[in-house]
Amino acid sequence: MLTVALQQGINGLVLGSLYVLVALGLTLIYGVFLINAAVVAPLRERGNELLPLIATIGVSVMLENVMLAWFGPIPYAFDSPYSDEVIRFGGMFFTVQSVLIIAVSTAAIGLLYAFMKFTFLGKALRAVAQDRETAGLMGINPNRVIMLTFVIASALAGMGGAMLGPVLVLTPFAGASVIVKAFAIVIIGGFGNVEGTIIAGLIVGLIESYTTQVLGPGLIDIVVFALLLLMLAVRPTGLIAERREENV
């Protein structure tokens, strides 16, 4: 029983690491990027936090269909030599790909956290997210910061996609489930909150892993969105609410 629990814990960390990478990209874009100014900010002014969420999901669907028109519907298989290498330890087994996912995700999350908290550019990014006009008056170039945010978010999404590729058969809609869960993680963690997103992503990955044996993979999404509904009812500001003002 302990071995099974540890095995599921490792699987949960793998899932959670992928979710965190994608959700962190969404968190950064929600706070600063062009989509925020063109789509999210006008809807947020109406006082309903669900409208920006629906709008960003719409943007995601639009981009998926652009990829469908560009690359076509033919599935692609992305082979990785690490997916076939299995490590066995104390009755548990996991692939080298899983270890790679956890290692790369941990390094990326740690570097992003340090960048946001301890570097001038990271502080400038948070300042622009809090108040773009005031940040500009303080000598920060908001346009360059927005471009930097786009680069970081794209890198996170690229890392997540590269590690997810060997796991899934790639189509323009292969990541739809991951994206929707990432939106849920952003809400659970708190809009625009990096720490909350990291915690929520790992929690969702672990919950999915431990409940898969009970519900089966076909019903696992129910658990994630039940957690989302519970969070909206009990704590709508997210797991970590004290810094939510940065993106208001």
Side-chain angles (χ1 to χ4, degrees):
M1 185 65 69
L2 179 60
T3 300
V4 174
L6 291 175
Q7 178 74 63
Q8 294 301 100
I10 293 173
N11 296 338
L13 288 177
V14 172
L15 281 175
S17 299
L18 289 173
Y19 292 157
V20 168
L21 284 181
V22 179
L24 281 177
L26 294 176
T27 296
L28 293 176
I29 290 175
Y30 182 87
V32 186
F33 188 49
L34 178 62
I35 293 176
N36 180 63
V39 178
V40 177
L43 293 175
R44 190 191 299 153
E45 293 175 358
R46 299 184 183 183
N48 189 338
E49 287 288 354
L50 289 179
L51 291 179
L53 173 63
I54 295 171
T56 46
I57 291 176
V59 172
S60 174
V61 172
M62 180 188 71
L63 293 176
E64 287 175 346
N65 282 275
V66 169
M67 294 298 102
L68 176 63
W70 191 353
F71 294 104
I74 301 175
Y76 292 89
F78 181 76
D79 295 326
S80 170
Y82 303 113
S83 299
D84 298 327
E85 296 184 19
V86 179
I87 300 173
R88 300 182 182 274
F89 179 77
M92 299 180 294
F93 61 92
F94 41 89
T95 64
V96 175
Q97 182 72 23
S98 299
V99 177
L100 183 65
I101 289 173
I102 294 176
V104 172
S105 299
T106 301
I109 292 168
L111 289 173
L112 177 64
Y113 185 85
F115 170 79
M116 294 286 290
K117 295 298 181 182
F118 305 115
T119 68
F120 172 78
L121 288 176
K123 294 176 181 178
L125 191 153
R126 289 189 289 143
V128 172
Q130 181 178 3
D131 191 326
R132 179 174 177 175
E133 293 183 359
T134 302
L137 294 174
M138 299 298 292
I140 298 172
N141 188 325
N143 293 327
R144 290 185 180 180
V145 172
I146 290 172
M147 182 58 67
L148 175 64
T149 305
F150 174 78
V151 171
I152 295 174
S154 298
L156 290 172
M159 273 189 276
M163 290 185 290
L164 189 64
V167 180
L168 298 177
V169 176
L170 299 181
T171 69
F173 302 98
S177 176
V178 176
I179 290 292
V180 173
K181 289 177 184 178
F183 276 114
I185 289 168
V186 169
I187 297 174
I188 294 170
F191 277 115
N193 191 291
V194 174
E195 297 94 330
T197 300
I198 294 172
I199 295 172
L202 294 176
I203 288 175
V204 168
L206 289 170
I207 289 176
E208 274 199 23
S209 179
Y210 281 113
T211 55
T212 298
Q213 292 181 322
V214 179
L215 297 179
L219 299 176
I220 196 62
D221 289 351
I222 294 177
V223 176
V224 177
F225 293 104
L227 179 62
L228 172 60
L229 293 175
L230 178 64
M231 181 59 66
L232 288 174
V234 176
R235 192 177 176 85
T237 54
L239 289 174
I240 303 178
E242 58 271 20
R243 298 188 180 181
R244 183 175 179 271
E245 303 83 26
E246 290 183 358
N247 294 291
V248 174

